Amino acid sequence: MGSFNRSRRRFLYESGLLAAMPLSAGWVAASARTLAATKGEHDLHLVNGIIVDGDGRPGYRGEVAISDDRIVAVGPRVPGTAREVLDVGGQVIAPGFINMLSWANESLIADGRAQSDLRQGVTLEVMGEGWSMGPYSDQTRQTAVDFQTDIRYPITWNSLDGYLSMLERKGLGVNVASFIGATTVREVVLGYGDIQPTPEQLDAMDAMVALVDQAMRDGALGVASAIPYAPGSYAHAPELVALARAAGRHSGIYATHIRSESEMLLEAIDEAIDVNRQTQTPVHIYHLKAAGVDYKDKFPAAVARIEKARSAGQRISADIYSYTSAWAALTIAIPPWAQAGGLDAFIERMKDQAQRARVVAEIGARRAGWENFYQLAGASGTLLVAFKSLTLQHLAGKTLAQVAELRGTSPVDMLIDLVIEDRSPVSTIFFLTDEEQVREKMQIPWLAFGSDAGAPSAEGVFLGTLTHPRSYGNFSRVLEHYVGTEKLLSLEQAIHRMTALPASILKLPDRGRLQPGYHADIVVFDPTKIQTHATYEHPHAYSTGVSQVWVNGVHVLENGEPTGAHGGRVVRGRGWTKGDRHDGNIGYDIPSASSGWPGAI
């Protein structure tokens, strides 16, 4: 490769293209890509921009040519002519941003424009942390319908592929991709109980692996777990290894919300690293953090563990969000044993005073033995966001401490009562880290970015509930605050971590860079005008500063406003069997009670 680059540079010099020009690596590479482009009429030329191509190299003044859904030329001057020329007035031209951890599953059903993310420059939503929108059994489908809140929709598909295909038919402003959820697979096969597929119960394990195999052939990027949440918390290492190995067979990866981000953080990271060691499947850790004031000093050791594994050649990666608070279900503060069997089983247990007293005591215990966000954040750091029941919606925006005081009860009792009254997990924000740790994470070059949030619109059905401000500000906050104000990383570094880095982690060969042959997912913005407007009190507020976005060559954001055009597609993983797709409604052979599987549906 080195000799090729030297020959290419010599050719450029001898042809006169490099005469009297600075020989920066970024400029040389850009010039070579220009020469490689096909001359002739293109659909669009973007001119007078600052090219930040995603590879981390210094930006330079240049142009981009697009034809159909692809980039055909990038460089100081692109060849040929175009049917349309857009002068971007010195703004940055960059690859579209990749949201490594999106919860746009339902928001895309209500509004496929994904406005909160699109207006930040996001062109790909990657979903599936623990739960995915398929496969379904009759029971899990009914549970999913029961947990729907403001966004109501029929579940007419059986598989993850069926869901993704439905979104594409409906119309998307952004691209979408998904993991198959490890918890979803467990729920279909084993139900909601604390059940282990032991070596003697290989049929249950085989069934879970078969569901992962099918999802990978349908284009899932890998399998993803969310181990702190029941029933995913009941999964032991052999189960995770089996599912990760299945994903790896199809060139996928294993992503995980690790078992603990607090007391057992280092052990949880070791567990994730060990999955990679046993399977050789790349492992990605969601929203890396040390949660809780008592455990923040563990963060440097956590980073050191990952870097040691990476230095040894292990494929370990991670992402972060740009806020100090987590967004989770209130039920994460309830001991896993009390949630075995699902929400109805928990509510029934709480009718027994002895069991309720035990739950109260364990939630209040300083060393919980599980990921107890109540202990990590405290009642005043637990902000209630959204309820299923309209009679409880007036409590949204209040802390657990405030609601307990209003009701004249203890915060722990209030926590239990809210879950019972709402008959839902209850959407909650927990303040778990401090700004110092976020600043530290911004300077770690191998960390990508994910919002861990939906992609709503500041209109219609979305205004009925609150959300986390990072739904509207995760990426703009990085550019505005940590690049612009704090100067903790350069613009080129930030864009690399939003584009080429996540594309590499996800094994996407033709996205994440401004390069000929790549999909024309492109964002144009003025870094001096990027501004985040969402707050905890008023989260439904769009970020500003992004002026133009193209998705697969389709102009979906023009002068800061969505065009309504449907440029988005399903981005499928490398295991996708193109000639063996089903229509998404054929479904899978879901086990019945007569199958003999423990916990069979």
Side-chain angles (χ1 to χ4, degrees):
M1 180 62 75
S3 61
F4 171 77
N5 284 334
R6 285 191 296 272
S7 298
R8 183 172 64 184
R9 178 169 171 169
R10 184 168 56 252
F11 168 76
L12 292 170
Y13 180 80
E14 291 172 353
S15 66
L17 290 173
L18 295 188
M21 295 294 292
L23 300 183
S24 72
W27 196 94
V28 172
S31 300
R33 287 196 291 273
T34 299
L35 289 177
T38 302
K39 294 185 178 181
E41 187 175 77
H42 305 135
D43 291 332
L44 173 67
H45 282 180
L46 302 178
V47 302
N48 189 25
I50 303 300
I51 304 295
V52 180
D53 62 10
D55 282 327
R57 293 185 285 256
Y60 62 93
R61 188 168 293 276
E63 303 175 354
V64 177
I66 301 170
S67 283
D68 296 323
D69 64 345
R70 301 283 175 159
I71 297 168
V72 294
V74 182
R77 291 289 183 272
V78 296
T81 60
R83 284 184 283 275
E84 179 184 357
V85 177
L86 178 62
D87 187 328
V88 302
Q91 295 183 87
V92 168
I93 306 174
F97 304 154
I98 297 173
N99 189 346
M100 277 293 294
L101 175 50
S102 170
W103 276 100
N105 310 51
E106 292 187 325
S107 62
L108 286 170
I109 296 175
D111 186 348
R113 293 174 295 176
Q115 287 198 71
S116 65
D117 267 357
L118 178 63
R119 291 170 186 255
Q120 296 179 75
V122 172
T123 58
L124 173 58
E125 306 279 354
V126 183
M127 304 174 287
E129 180 199 4
W131 287 268
S132 53
M133 299 294 276
Y136 288 110
S137 67
D138 289 344
Q139 181 177 354
T140 62
R141 178 185 287 104
Q142 187 58 54
T143 299
V145 170
D146 290 344
F147 281 173
Q148 290 175 8
T149 53
D150 285 3
I151 301 173
R152 310 290 299 182
Y153 53 94
I155 299 177
T156 57
W157 60 89
N158 292 323
S159 66
L160 176 60
D161 177 64
Y163 163 76
L164 294 171
S165 298
M166 176 275 295
L167 287 182
E168 195 169 47
R169 289 192 301 269
K170 186 175 181 294
L172 292 165
V174 296
N175 297 311
V176 296
S178 184
F179 289 85
I180 178 75
T183 302
T184 297
V185 167
R186 168 173 260 272
E187 289 174 348
V188 167
V189 176
L190 296 174
Y192 301 94
D194 186 356
I195 298 168
Q196 300 307 314
T198 65
E200 292 75 27
Q201 298 162 334
L202 293 179
D203 50 356
M205 184 71 82
D206 287 347
M208 288 192 282
V209 168
L211 291 177
V212 172
D213 279 330
Q214 181 61 62
M216 295 302 298
R217 289 192 292 270
D218 286 344
L221 299 181
V223 64
S225 64
I227 316 177
Y229 299 93
S233 56
Y234 308 138
H236 293 176
E239 179 178 331
L240 303 175
V241 166
L243 300 185
R245 184 174 285 121
R249 282 198 299 269
H250 301 274
S251 299
I253 74 173
Y254 169 65
T256 179
H257 177 160
I258 56 178
R259 200 173 298 274
S260 172
E261 296 173 332
S262 55
E263 184 178 357
M264 303 296 288
L265 170 63
L266 302 183
E267 292 83 351
I269 286 176
D270 287 342
E271 180 183 44
I273 291 172
D274 193 56
V275 170
N276 172 259
R277 183 187 61 79
Q278 291 192 55
T279 66
Q280 302 305 304
T281 300
V283 169
H284 180 77
I285 297 172
Y286 285 132
H287 43 62
L288 180 66
K289 71 173 78 66
V293 64
D294 291 343
Y295 306 108
K296 66 178 184 179
D297 291 343
K298 288 179 176 283
F299 186 71
V303 171
R305 266 173 160 77
I306 296 171
E307 290 185 336
K308 180 179 179 181
R310 287 167 58 87
S311 297
Q314 290 189 254
R315 292 286 300 276
I316 311 295
S317 57
D319 63 59
I320 58 172
Y321 43 71
S322 58
Y323 288 76
T324 60
S325 57
W327 189 14
L330 191 58
T331 49
I332 198 171
I334 296 172
W337 68 264
Q339 299 184 64
L343 185 60
D344 288 342
F346 166 73
I347 292 173
E348 190 64 28
R349 284 189 185 97
M350 292 305 93
K351 295 177 182 178
D352 182 303
Q353 291 305 308
Q355 293 195 68
R356 177 167 178 135
R358 178 185 171 189
V359 169
V360 169
E362 291 186 7
I363 292 174
R366 187 161 181 78
R367 301 293 182 185
W370 82 95
E371 198 76 335
N372 182 353
F373 277 15
Y374 170 79
Q375 274 297 329
L376 298 174
S380 296
T382 300
L383 181 67
L384 303 168
V385 175
F387 296 89
K388 184 176 73 172
S389 172
L390 292 177
T391 62
L392 295 175
Q393 278 292 0
H394 68 285
L395 300 178
K398 293 181 171 58
T399 67
L400 184 62
Q402 290 170 329
V403 175
E405 185 176 1
L406 283 173
R407 293 266 191 107
T409 188
S410 73
V412 175
D413 279 307
M414 191 72 263
L415 185 157
I416 296 170
D417 289 342
L418 288 173
V419 172
I420 293 172
E421 290 179 41
D422 202 48
R423 299 190 70 85
S424 86
V426 183
S427 178
T428 307
I429 290 174
F430 298 89
F431 291 86
L432 299 177
T433 60
D434 57 23
E435 185 62 24
E436 178 185 356
Q437 188 177 131
V438 178
R439 288 169 55 87
E440 184 176 352
K441 288 187 285 192
M442 287 294 156
Q443 300 173 77
I444 300 175
W446 45 265
L447 290 176
F449 295 102
S451 70
D452 196 12
S457 297
E459 60 187 60
V461 68
F462 299 106
L463 299 183
T465 57
L466 296 178
T467 186
H468 197 296
R470 68 185 185 223
S471 299
Y472 289 83
N474 188 65
F475 294 87
S476 58
R477 179 169 165 78
V478 174
L479 297 174
E480 176 195 12
H481 186 66
Y482 296 105
V483 173
T485 303
E486 297 287 339
K487 303 189 185 310
L488 295 178
L489 67 169
S490 70
L491 179 65
E492 290 86 354
Q493 290 169 334
I495 290 176
H496 170 69
R497 289 166 60 180
M498 295 177 181
T499 58
L501 176 60
S504 174
I505 292 169
L506 296 169
K507 301 185 177 182
L508 303 179
D510 52 2
R511 295 187 192 271
R513 291 176 171 85
L514 296 182
Q515 186 170 318
Y518 275 50
H519 285 275
D521 298 337
I522 297 172
V523 55
V524 175
F525 66 96
D526 183 341
T528 68
K529 293 183 179 179
I530 292 289
Q531 192 170 358
T532 309
H533 300 283
T535 65
Y536 289 100
E537 295 78 17
H538 303 287
H540 291 291
Y542 297 124
S543 293
T544 54
V546 171
S547 60
Q548 316 288 338
V549 177
W550 288 263
V551 175
N552 299 304
V554 176
H555 205 177
V556 294
L557 192 79
E558 184 175 10
N559 299 323
E561 295 291 333
T563 66
H566 297 161
R569 301 174 185 171
V570 175
V571 176
R572 300 184 187 273
R574 295 171 68 181
W576 180 31
T577 307
K578 298 181 182 180
D580 189 35
R581 285 185 59 200
H582 55 75
D583 65 6
N585 292 297
I586 296 174
Y588 301 92
D589 293 327
I590 302 301
S592 64
S594 61
S595 69
W597 295 355
I601 306 301

